[in-house]
Amino acid sequence: MKPLFLILFAAFVFGLCFGVDKGSARLLRKAKNRTSVRLPLRYPLLSVLAFVCALIVGVHGIRSKSPLFLIAAVCFLGVGIYGLYAYHNMRITYNKEGFFFQNGRFSKKFSFGDIAYQRVAITRRGCCLVLCTQEEEVVLYSNMQGFSPFLEAAYLGYCRAKGLDPEAQPWHDPEEHRWFPDDIDAEK
């Protein structure tokens, strides 16, 4: 009986890994074709892992009648739900005229001409870029899906809206994470 259980468990783990691999490849293909910016794919992938851990720990907690395992299962379930919630409720969709920013219940439409300046914070893992408008701030991270294509489209839209030549701007340097004038440049 134990060898059969071991074979079934190995098949389940292999199937789960195969499904996650195929699913993430499909999501990446879809993400490359979309004109949107989303949180990294690790959010839904870690959510699936948290749900699997919740299931395993919960089953063990029910079998052993241990409340500690049940509490851990609920915690894993909460982390999984939060990861999916955060992934699905934060996005930026854009076209040639502007972009629509949604983060939870907050949502607002901006035109690329609304961008006044940017602020950048460089970290060890990437950068945090804040697009500042007259009213709001839109925060982007370099590990987000669609980060660079969005900023290139936003830069071209910004130049169109302001009547600037995209090739002649001294502050535009994507290698240094500078797509728009910095805070200091905007004050001049």
Side-chain angles (χ1 to χ4, degrees):
M1 189 68 174
K2 283 188 179 186
L4 178 65
F5 179 72
L6 189 59
I7 290 170
L8 288 175
F9 181 73
F12 171 74
V13 169
F14 177 75
L16 183 68
C17 291
F18 180 77
V20 167
D21 183 48
K22 290 297 181 184
S24 64
R26 184 173 166 231
L27 282 173
L28 280 173
R29 278 194 308 275
K30 281 178 76 175
K32 287 181 182 178
N33 295 332
R34 261 189 279 171
T35 56
S36 67
V37 180
R38 296 191 68 91
L39 289 174
L41 273 177
R42 69 173 166 239
Y43 278 79
L45 294 177
L46 289 176
S47 294
V48 168
L49 182 64
F51 289 139
V52 169
C53 289
L55 179 70
I56 293 169
V57 171
V59 167
H60 183 68
I62 290 171
R63 281 180 149 180
S64 67
K65 296 184 172 112
S66 173
L68 209 52
F69 282 105
L70 295 175
I71 292 171
V74 169
C75 290
F76 277 124
L77 191 63
V79 167
I81 290 171
Y82 174 75
L84 287 178
Y85 173 80
Y87 181 77
H88 286 290
N89 286 313
M90 190 288 165
R91 71 176 164 263
I92 298 172
T93 54
Y94 60 96
N95 56 25
K96 291 188 179 208
E97 290 82 38
F99 62 98
F100 179 75
F101 176 68
Q102 179 183 3
N103 191 0
R105 292 185 182 177
F106 175 78
S107 60
K108 187 162 185 176
K109 185 173 177 115
F110 297 97
S111 73
F112 291 128
D114 292 341
I115 298 171
Y117 57 92
Q118 75 171 23
R119 288 191 312 239
V120 177
I122 305 294
T123 64
R124 282 187 289 171
R125 294 186 178 198
C127 83
C128 171
L129 186 123
V130 180
L131 297 178
C132 301
T133 65
Q134 299 300 331
E135 305 159 0
E136 305 290 335
E137 293 180 345
V138 177
V139 180
L140 299 164
Y141 299 98
S142 61
N143 64 350
M144 295 174 115
Q145 300 174 53
F147 175 79
S148 293
F150 166 70
L151 287 171
E152 286 301 323
Y155 173 68
L156 293 174
Y158 174 83
C159 288
R160 253 191 325 275
K162 302 283 184 183
L164 302 171
D165 179 23
E167 300 294 323
Q169 302 311 313
W171 36 261
H172 181 251
D173 186 8
E175 296 293 322
E176 295 293 322
H177 304 290
R178 294 188 72 206
W179 280 271
F180 303 98
D182 282 333
D183 195 351
I184 299 165
D185 298 335
E187 293 174 1
K188 291 180 182 178

